[in-house]
Amino acid sequence: MTEHVWSYKSTSGHLAGGDLTGYKVEAIDGDIGKVDKHSDEVGDAYLVVDTGVWIFGKEVLLPASTVIQIDLEKKKIFVDRSKEQIKNAPEFHRDKHLGDAGYREELGAYYRPVTPAGGQPIV
């Protein structure tokens, strides 16, 4: 199951109903782009990030659980994945994938935290 992947962590600083459009997004190793679209829907929260020239102008879909901090003053969102992990995620096409349950399951499985027996999630 990957439902938890589509929810913001309680420690992220996310405020329901806030507009994150235009916020810069930072991976653990640098800038990846800006939020083009987002959803706050319970169990279906995500960010669509326009990567600009970083990966040839493509968009990426990040489940809300990847967000570790939102800085409202600086309009910046920090995620707990590397640029390489994000670049290697299943390819996203807005028109094809936003409403596709199969893609959502595939992406959720890719981003789900890996937990060793009795340990903390590894990201």
Side-chain angles (χ1 to χ4, degrees):
M1 287 292 229
T2 58
E3 288 82 13
H4 67 286
V5 172
W6 302 100
S7 299
Y8 286 97
K9 295 173 185 155
S10 60
T11 56
S12 69
H14 176 260
L15 300 173
D19 186 7
L20 302 175
T21 305
Y23 277 47
K24 288 185 177 182
V25 181
E26 291 274 331
I28 57 175
D29 55 353
D31 178 56
I32 63 164
K34 289 186 177 184
V35 175
D36 189 46
K37 176 181 173 52
H38 67 96
S39 168
D40 280 345
E41 193 171 321
V42 175
D44 189 28
Y46 59 81
L47 304 172
V48 175
V49 180
D50 180 346
T51 63
V53 297
W54 173 54
I55 44 179
F56 310 111
K58 291 187 178 182
E59 292 180 319
V60 294
L61 182 68
L62 295 175
S65 65
T66 62
V67 175
I68 53 174
Q69 181 185 5
I70 299 173
D71 186 327
L72 298 173
E73 285 184 26
K74 294 181 181 176
K75 294 191 173 195
K76 228 177 218 192
I77 298 171
F78 298 88
V79 297
D80 63 359
R81 297 297 193 278
S82 69
K83 292 169 105 175
E84 190 70 19
Q85 288 172 308
I86 294 166
K87 188 175 182 179
N88 291 333
E91 194 168 343
F92 173 67
H93 297 283
R94 183 190 297 234
D95 296 337
K96 181 179 177 183
H97 293 129
L98 265 185
D100 182 339
Y103 175 78
R104 195 180 126 95
E105 185 67 28
E106 178 184 8
L107 193 68
Y110 179 83
Y111 280 112
R112 101 176 164 270
V114 177
T115 307
Q120 294 294 315
I122 300 171
V123 291

